[in-house]
Amino acid sequence: MSYQLQLASVPTPAADLDVFGFMNQLRQDAGTQPPSALLKRFHDALLAQFPDQPWSDGHYAGEAGRLTLVRRSKEVVPHVLYLAAELGLTVVDNKTGEVHRPPTYQVVLEGPAHGLEVIDAAARLAALLRKPVAETVALLSGGRRIVVKQGVSRFQAMQYAAALRDRGGCRATLAAEPGPAPRAKPLPSPSPSPAPAPAAAAPALALARGDASPAPSPYQAPAAALDTEGEAPEDDAGLFQVAEGLRMNVSSIGLSVLQGALIWDHGSLPGTISSAALSIMSIYGTWRMMNGLGTSKLARNAVLLLSLVTGLLGGVFSLSQKPLAFVLFAVLGLASLVVWVVLVVKAVRRLKQAGLSLGLFGAAKHDVRRLGGLDVEARLPSTFLALVCFSVTLLCFAGSLTQTKSRPQAAAAPVPCQFVGWWEYQKDGGTYSVFMDDDGTYAGFKPTTPEGEAADFVGSWSVADNAIQWDELYPLPGRSQAGKLTASGDSSFSVLEADGRSTLYELSHREPSRRCGFSAAP
């Protein structure tokens, strides 16, 4: 008879009855995504212990996992529960209905390492935590025990404590928090077909056990073969910057596509503002990627200068349309694209080497939060910037809708003075009036509009090729109408409308106009 276990690498609901529905939804949402880094570590560790794979289904996708045991379940289940607890995974036993939650730990800072002065340890700790030295000196002084990390799995706590010891020059211990009790390590079970543990599994297994002096066992490779350099540690500032920079670049590309669909005139003020915001996010993301990849300061400055000059030349070409500006823009743009592709490829390779699963936006949010030492619900800087740029794009789109291009057209188009003034015409059984100003704008009033009230419709007008053009701004922005002038004089003119009707406009009176020489009404 098969024995099925479900696993989750994200926090689950507090009530056990809610966990089952949560797990089903989690598995549906995962689809065909690659497994999270924690599930991958779990799989590698379990495979090292049971290379004969006494299960028929070991499906892992996204944050959800499923393991269907077909034999030796009494032997395998304790190891599954132990490894899951060490790595911070929740296990749901479909047979018994039990929910096995992982214990959580605190990392306690106990002071500088033996033989190291407080000031030396404080300097190393400040570089690790990215805090002022004065603050880390206060942490290490006085012989106090300070909790610097809490609510994490044993796997995460061991990595954090190791970082404090190896890179921060400090002594740190782990303390279990109230809640599920830590599980005792099950006795090793000989496999029917022994095989060495996969090399990729060894670092995860060693960290999962937290052994100070690793010894050969089914849970980890011999000490001589142990290599933890390729493992992605928690609170890794370099990997965090690489992952965040990649997310910013991908977000800027997606938002640029959205901007292109919403804002047609990129040379307008709204288009320029939106483009500038997206360019800043992309350049900042590239800068962070290069920082995380360990690129030299000279190379970072060169790429930054290349991006800025390319953007400047693009603006110059859009305004001047000069061939030289276009050629320079094309050459530098191609160079920028090549550099960007190379950096993205390096970033993706670096994240994959760290054991992170990648999706459309690079590393998953929960993995990036772990790299940055953030809370599970914390908002990533890349997400915040993407939301800001998305809001700017929407605001600029709204601004582009309210902009009118009629004024530049009216200034360039002919505005004959004989048409400037107040005119009346008959329409739908009523007398309408329209004031045609000498700057090419008009304001129209319905028969029912009381005197002194605002105009019912406004826009711009022009006359060319014996036709009059009306471009409405309010209440229907963008609506244009044109009619052929069939007769025109000083006191009236007739327009043949597009629907075939003829409308007669009769002069009511003139308004003063310096351009047209009108000093007073009639």
Side-chain angles (χ1 to χ4, degrees):
M1 182 179 294
S2 62
Y3 195 119
Q4 191 176 78
L5 301 170
Q6 296 188 78
L7 302 102
S9 58
V10 291
T12 55
D16 288 355
L17 291 177
D18 297 334
V19 173
F20 294 91
F22 174 83
M23 295 294 291
N24 292 335
Q25 187 63 47
L26 190 66
R27 191 168 60 252
Q28 291 177 15
D29 294 341
T32 58
Q33 297 177 20
S36 67
L38 283 181
L39 285 175
K40 187 175 184 300
R41 292 187 182 106
F42 170 82
H43 167 266
D44 292 342
L46 191 63
L47 185 62
Q49 172 64 15
F50 299 98
D52 62 315
Q53 302 185 45
W55 49 80
S56 63
D57 181 17
H59 180 72
Y60 304 91
E63 308 291 351
R66 183 178 65 242
L67 194 67
T68 304
L69 303 171
V70 292
R71 61 185 187 278
R72 302 168 59 200
S73 59
K74 291 184 179 180
E75 190 179 332
V76 176
V77 169
H79 294 275
V80 170
L81 297 180
Y82 172 73
L83 285 174
E86 294 290 278
L87 294 172
L89 304 175
T90 299
V91 179
V92 176
D93 191 324
N94 285 358
K95 183 177 181 180
T96 64
E98 293 180 277
V99 178
H100 302 275
R101 304 176 189 276
T104 57
Y105 293 82
Q106 295 177 345
V107 180
V108 183
L109 182 66
E110 296 193 331
H114 295 296
L116 201 62
E117 297 293 334
V118 171
I119 189 63
D120 295 331
R124 293 172 60 177
L125 185 61
L128 176 64
L129 301 182
R130 300 186 291 278
K131 293 180 179 292
V133 175
E135 188 173 334
T136 55
V137 168
L139 288 175
L140 297 175
S141 300
R144 296 173 298 164
R145 301 176 75 249
I146 300 174
V147 176
V148 294
K149 198 74 172 178
Q150 58 185 353
V152 296
S153 67
R154 179 176 172 82
F155 174 73
Q156 294 172 298
M158 286 296 297
Q159 288 187 315
Y160 202 88
L164 290 174
R165 180 185 68 247
D166 300 336
R167 295 160 55 192
C170 301
R171 289 179 290 113
T173 57
L174 274 60
E177 294 181 330
R183 288 187 172 273
K185 182 175 63 176
L187 295 175
S189 302
S191 171
S193 53
L205 300 177
L207 288 170
R209 289 184 61 205
D211 291 346
S213 56
S217 77
Y219 275 105
Q220 75 176 49
L226 186 61
D227 178 15
T228 59
E229 291 299 321
E231 188 64 24
E234 305 296 321
D235 299 320
D236 189 306
L239 278 177
F240 178 70
Q241 292 197 70
V242 172
E244 278 287 86
L246 185 59
R247 290 178 63 85
M248 290 178 193
N249 273 276
V250 175
S251 298
S252 68
I253 293 174
L255 290 173
S256 296
V257 174
L258 177 65
Q259 180 208 33
L262 295 179
I263 305 175
W264 291 86
D265 186 5
H266 289 186
S268 63
L269 181 60
T272 301
I273 294 174
S274 179
S275 298
L278 295 177
S279 297
I280 291 172
M281 181 170 69
S282 177
I283 292 173
Y284 179 57
T286 303
W287 178 270
R288 296 203 72 177
M289 274 199 306
M290 297 180 71
N291 269 339
L293 291 171
T295 309
S296 66
K297 186 175 181 180
L298 178 62
R300 295 198 300 270
N301 290 334
V303 171
L304 176 61
L305 181 62
L306 177 63
S307 301
L308 294 176
V309 172
T310 303
L312 180 62
L313 285 174
V316 170
F317 171 70
S318 64
L319 294 175
S320 66
Q321 299 292 314
K322 291 186 177 180
L324 179 59
F326 172 74
V327 172
L328 291 175
F329 170 69
V331 172
L332 293 181
L334 180 61
S336 298
L337 178 62
V338 171
V339 171
W340 181 82
V341 170
V342 170
L343 289 174
V344 169
V345 170
K346 286 186 175 181
V348 170
R349 186 180 301 161
R350 178 69 182 87
L351 294 174
K352 285 185 176 180
Q353 288 174 349
L356 298 173
S357 57
L358 303 184
L360 179 61
F361 287 89
K365 285 184 179 181
H366 62 272
D367 284 334
V368 181
R369 291 190 186 101
R370 293 189 187 108
L371 292 173
L374 304 177
D375 294 335
V376 294
E377 298 297 331
R379 176 174 291 173
L380 294 173
S382 58
T383 303
F384 174 75
L385 283 179
L387 290 175
V388 169
C389 289
F390 177 71
S391 302
V392 169
T393 300
L394 291 184
L395 290 174
C396 290
F397 170 63
S400 68
L401 292 179
T402 61
Q403 276 195 336
T404 175
K405 300 181 182 178
S406 58
R407 286 191 176 272
Q409 294 172 355
V415 182
C417 288
Q418 72 179 86
F419 296 94
V420 174
W422 284 88
W423 303 85
E424 294 181 349
Y425 61 96
Q426 299 295 320
K427 181 181 177 183
D428 300 329
T431 301
Y432 286 70
S433 61
V434 59
F435 173 62
M436 300 170 64
D437 207 349
D438 59 3
D439 63 354
T441 61
Y442 71 86
F445 301 83
K446 296 179 179 179
T448 56
T449 304
E451 187 174 353
E453 291 291 326
D456 297 300
F457 43 93
V458 295
S460 62
W461 67 276
S462 61
V463 175
D465 299 327
N466 201 35
I468 188 166
Q469 175 77 26
W470 309 91
D471 295 315
E472 190 169 329
L473 176 61
Y474 174 86
L476 298 175
R479 186 175 73 170
S480 297
Q481 296 180 349
K484 184 179 180 180
L485 290 168
T486 56
S488 63
D490 291 335
S491 60
S492 66
F493 63 92
S494 297
V495 177
L496 182 62
E497 308 289 357
D499 58 3
R501 294 183 300 174
S502 181
T503 304
L504 176 64
Y505 290 76
E506 295 182 309
L507 180 65
S508 172
H509 63 275
R510 307 279 189 187
E511 290 285 350
S513 170
R514 177 177 295 181
R515 186 178 76 83
C516 294
F518 303 145
S519 58

